[in-house]
Amino acid sequence: MMKHDSYPHYWVNHLSFLLRRSLVQRFEAEGLDVSAEEWAVLLILQSVPDLTATELSDRSMRDKTTITRTLDRLERKGLVLRLRDTKDRRSVRLSLSPMGQAVFEELARIAQGLIKQTLAGIAPEDVEQALTVMKRMAANLTEEQHGL
């Protein structure tokens, strides 16, 4: 018999749910109307600007339709800019708007508080080991999908 809570997969999913819920509650408490999905997109665009929607879709592991809807919402909120690529006018590049950068700084401050809370009492070497294990698990799935 499989006991659901004896697998790391259950705890990864459980933690993901708790993190998303807590993050959105903290954003709302600060008067910021940003979903967890939108935060994930802003985080990627802040660290890797000038991506196309396809590149963003690949990095976020979300389908193109979901990314397009998320980008539409972020653009309506004034947080993301879609700009034609100067070298290839068929391509649209994405970046944070000036307002998006300012809002990102507030969101990052809030997210850092959540990260600090979740890591409280956990030794740095345990965090490193957990990262190593999760990266290996992800690589196992990636290799499977690519037939390696």
Side-chain angles (χ1 to χ4, degrees):
M1 179 172 124
M2 291 181 67
K3 190 165 174 1
H4 71 281
D5 61 356
S6 64
Y7 294 92
H9 311 74
Y10 167 80
W11 290 106
V12 167
N13 187 55
H14 187 74
L15 178 59
S16 176
F17 174 78
L18 292 172
L19 287 170
R20 292 168 60 89
R21 184 176 65 187
S22 183
L23 191 63
V24 170
Q25 287 171 345
R26 289 169 188 235
F27 290 166
E28 288 174 352
E30 296 282 335
L32 298 166
D33 177 28
V34 176
S35 71
E37 285 288 327
E38 292 167 344
W39 162 245
V41 167
L42 293 172
L43 185 60
I44 292 169
L45 289 178
Q46 194 276 334
S47 59
V48 188
D50 297 324
L51 294 174
T52 65
T54 300
E55 292 166 338
L56 179 61
S57 176
D58 291 343
R59 283 183 185 266
S60 67
M61 302 194 70
R62 303 290 189 281
D63 64 80
K64 190 123 186 308
T65 302
T66 299
I67 285 298
T68 299
R69 281 194 300 252
T70 303
L71 289 169
D72 289 345
R73 286 192 311 272
L74 289 169
E75 189 175 36
R76 280 193 303 273
K77 292 177 182 183
L79 303 179
V80 168
L81 298 173
R82 287 176 164 138
L83 304 168
R84 290 268 171 223
D85 188 318
T86 55
K87 295 178 182 150
D88 179 359
R89 299 216 18 96
R90 296 170 297 171
S91 184
V92 174
R93 296 286 169 179
L94 305 162
S95 65
L96 298 184
S97 68
M99 185 170 91
Q101 186 60 46
V103 169
F104 176 84
E105 298 301 327
E106 283 298 303
L107 297 169
R109 178 186 56 78
I110 295 165
Q112 284 295 330
L114 179 59
I115 291 167
K116 184 177 178 182
Q117 179 186 354
T118 60
L119 295 177
I122 301 174
E125 57 270 14
D126 290 341
V127 173
E128 284 301 315
Q129 183 177 7
L131 282 170
T132 299
V133 170
M134 287 186 284
K135 287 176 182 178
R136 183 66 241 168
M137 291 170 74
N140 288 343
L141 291 175
T142 303
E143 289 167 3
E144 173 194 30
Q145 289 177 348
H146 292 108
L148 300 175

